[in-house]
């Protein structure tokens, strides 16, 4: 991974603190700013240290990854000063716990295997679009509508089909999603959360490294260090084949897997949006002539 590749859990803890410190203004923290030009709109190290009740030297060592064993009370004080929400606070606790490890355990290669029962489930939910993604948003399986909903992704080899890669690098993605900015923020937030707890993961390193090189938007969002994604809600699509449709969506964790998630889209039967889903399912059952088969794609997996 380039640019901000974490070298250890200690530096990942420091990266998170530095990113969140830059987003809290003195006014938000209840501080009075004196005259003179500030180099940054966020809090200075000494200001955050004072608000947290710790020394500036100790806090500086935390940010630089040289202090890796902050006490629970220090972590809680930093979370309070940084105005973290509960899930962000919990993420900070996990980073602190991981930073205290002297020798990280080597990550196990994540499995891409989908159980037969899950594949049957995808078929049983038709015409609702459904797909299964890995912890890094690799598209592992989909029913016809679930694949066709992501217009144009079937043009890519199977091993390159990744939703984060799609939203940042595929030319159709920007016009497909009505709120493309929200879509990309959610993708980066999920990857950032994974980077915090498994910074040496090879699957994450490959994907983030590619996107940091190819997408300035990804780089900007990666440096913000947001970790909040969305597991449900509504999305509006401007689909090139079935027109505009607004769908509800729900994400479910698949237990017994290395972070696989099932993502399902739905609409109320009898509505134009539901009719569009039916059409999308029908189109998805008729592969485009240029779509590659799985056997063809496996031969190109080394380029993913």
């Amino acid at each position: 991974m380039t640019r901000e590749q974490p070298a250890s859990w200690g530096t990942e803890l420091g990266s998170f603190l530095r990113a969140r410190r830059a987003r809290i203004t003195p006014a938000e923290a209840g501080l009075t700013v004196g005259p003179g030009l500030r180099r940054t709109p966020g809090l200075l190290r000494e200001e955050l240290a004072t608000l947290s009740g710790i020394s500036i030297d100790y806090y500086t060592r935390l940010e630089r990854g040289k202090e890796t064993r902050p006490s629970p009370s220090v972590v809680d004080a930093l979370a309070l000063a940084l105005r973290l929400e509960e899930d962000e606070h919990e993420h900070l606790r996990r980073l602190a716990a991981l930073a205290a490890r002297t020798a990280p355990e080597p990550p196990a290669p994540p499995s891409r295997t989908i159980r037969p029962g899950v594949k049957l489930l995808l078929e049983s939910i038709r015409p609702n679009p459904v797909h299964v993604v890995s912890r890094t948003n690799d598209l592992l399986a989909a029913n016809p509508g679930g694949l066709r909903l992501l217009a144009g992704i079937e043009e890519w080899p199977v091993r390159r089909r990744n939703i984060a890669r799609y939203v940042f690098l595929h030319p159709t993605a920007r016009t497909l999603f009505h709120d493309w900015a929200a879509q990309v923020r959610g993708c980066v937030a999920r990857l950032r959360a994974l980077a915090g707890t498994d910074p040496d993961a090879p699957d994450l390193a490959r994907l983030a490294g590619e996107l940091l090189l190819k997408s300035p938007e990804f780089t900007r969002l990666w440096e913000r260090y947001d970790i909040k994604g969305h597991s449900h809600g509504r999305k509006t699509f401007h689909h090139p084949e079935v027109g505009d449709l607004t769908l509800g969506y729900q994400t479910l964790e698949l237990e017994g897997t290395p972070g696989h998630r099932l993502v399902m889209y739905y609409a109320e039967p009898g509505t134009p949006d539901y009719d569009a889903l039916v059409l999308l399912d029908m189109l998805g059952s008729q592969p485009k002539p240029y779509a590659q088969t799985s056997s063809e794609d496996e031969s190109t997996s080394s380029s993913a």
Side-chain angles (χ1 to χ4, degrees):
M1 191 183 301
T2 61
R3 300 194 188 186
E4 211 176 312
Q5 178 179 351
S8 70
W9 282 315
T11 54
E12 187 65 22
L13 171 63
S15 295
F16 182 72
L17 291 172
R18 185 166 52 251
R20 304 317 293 238
R21 174 171 62 83
R23 294 172 57 178
I24 300 294
T25 66
E28 289 172 330
L31 299 176
T32 301
V33 180
L37 181 66
R38 290 176 64 93
R39 292 175 298 174
T40 173
L43 291 176
L44 303 176
R45 285 196 184 110
E46 53 265 33
E47 291 171 336
L48 180 55
T50 299
L51 289 169
S52 304
I54 59 179
S55 71
I56 177 59
D57 177 66
Y58 182 82
Y59 178 76
T60 300
R61 285 187 284 121
L62 273 178
E63 268 202 10
R64 292 177 176 173
K66 297 180 179 180
E67 172 56 56
T68 59
R69 295 181 179 273
S71 68
S73 61
V74 167
V75 170
D76 291 344
L78 287 168
L80 181 62
L82 290 170
R83 304 168 66 90
L84 300 184
E85 297 185 12
E86 183 53 39
D87 52 352
E88 297 168 326
H89 189 168
E90 182 58 33
H91 185 74
L92 180 60
R93 291 192 187 103
R94 289 197 299 268
L95 288 179
L98 290 168
R101 296 186 182 180
T102 56
E105 300 173 2
S111 171
R112 296 173 59 93
T113 301
I114 303 299
R115 292 192 295 267
V118 174
K119 294 180 180 179
L120 287 174
L121 181 62
L122 299 185
E123 284 298 306
S124 69
I125 299 177
R126 294 174 62 182
N128 298 88
V130 187
H131 45 247
V132 176
V133 296
S134 72
R135 63 181 188 171
T136 56
N137 279 330
D138 287 332
L139 188 62
L140 303 181
N143 63 14
L147 182 63
R148 205 59 168 255
L149 181 63
L150 301 174
I153 199 171
E154 72 271 21
E155 301 166 13
W156 285 354
V158 168
R159 299 285 291 203
R160 276 193 58 80
R161 293 176 188 174
N162 175 284
I163 293 179
R165 181 183 285 119
Y166 174 79
V167 298
F168 280 104
L169 301 183
H170 199 287
T172 303
R174 287 179 184 267
T175 55
L176 175 68
F177 297 99
H178 180 73
D179 193 345
W180 178 83
Q183 180 72 21
V184 296
R185 285 196 302 270
C187 283
V188 177
R190 186 171 291 278
L191 295 177
R192 247 319 188 177
L194 175 60
T197 56
D198 198 358
D200 298 317
D203 51 335
L204 173 64
R206 286 192 297 270
L207 177 64
E210 176 188 355
L211 295 179
L212 284 167
L213 285 172
K214 295 180 179 179
S215 173
E217 294 95 341
F218 180 87
T219 300
R220 177 179 58 81
L221 292 170
W222 186 258
E223 292 171 351
R224 280 179 58 85
Y225 215 131
D226 287 325
I227 61 163
K228 293 187 64 177
H230 299 284
S231 61
H232 64 280
R234 296 182 67 79
K235 293 182 184 179
T236 296
F237 299 84
H238 304 297
H239 200 278
E241 294 179 298
V242 301
D244 293 351
L245 65 166
T246 298
L247 306 175
Y249 71 92
Q250 178 68 55
T251 300
L252 303 174
E253 300 287 341
L254 294 178
E255 295 187 7
T257 68
H260 296 176
R261 290 171 288 119
L262 185 147
V263 184
M264 182 178 73
Y265 294 89
Y266 57 90
E268 186 72 25
T271 63
D273 292 325
Y274 186 83
D275 293 341
L277 289 188
V278 173
L279 177 57
L280 196 66
D281 182 71
M282 292 173 58
L283 292 172
S285 300
Q286 304 168 3
K288 293 181 178 180
Y290 51 74
Q292 291 181 305
T293 65
S294 297
S295 60
E296 290 172 330
D297 294 330
E298 290 303 317
S299 66
T300 64
S301 61
S302 61
S303 67

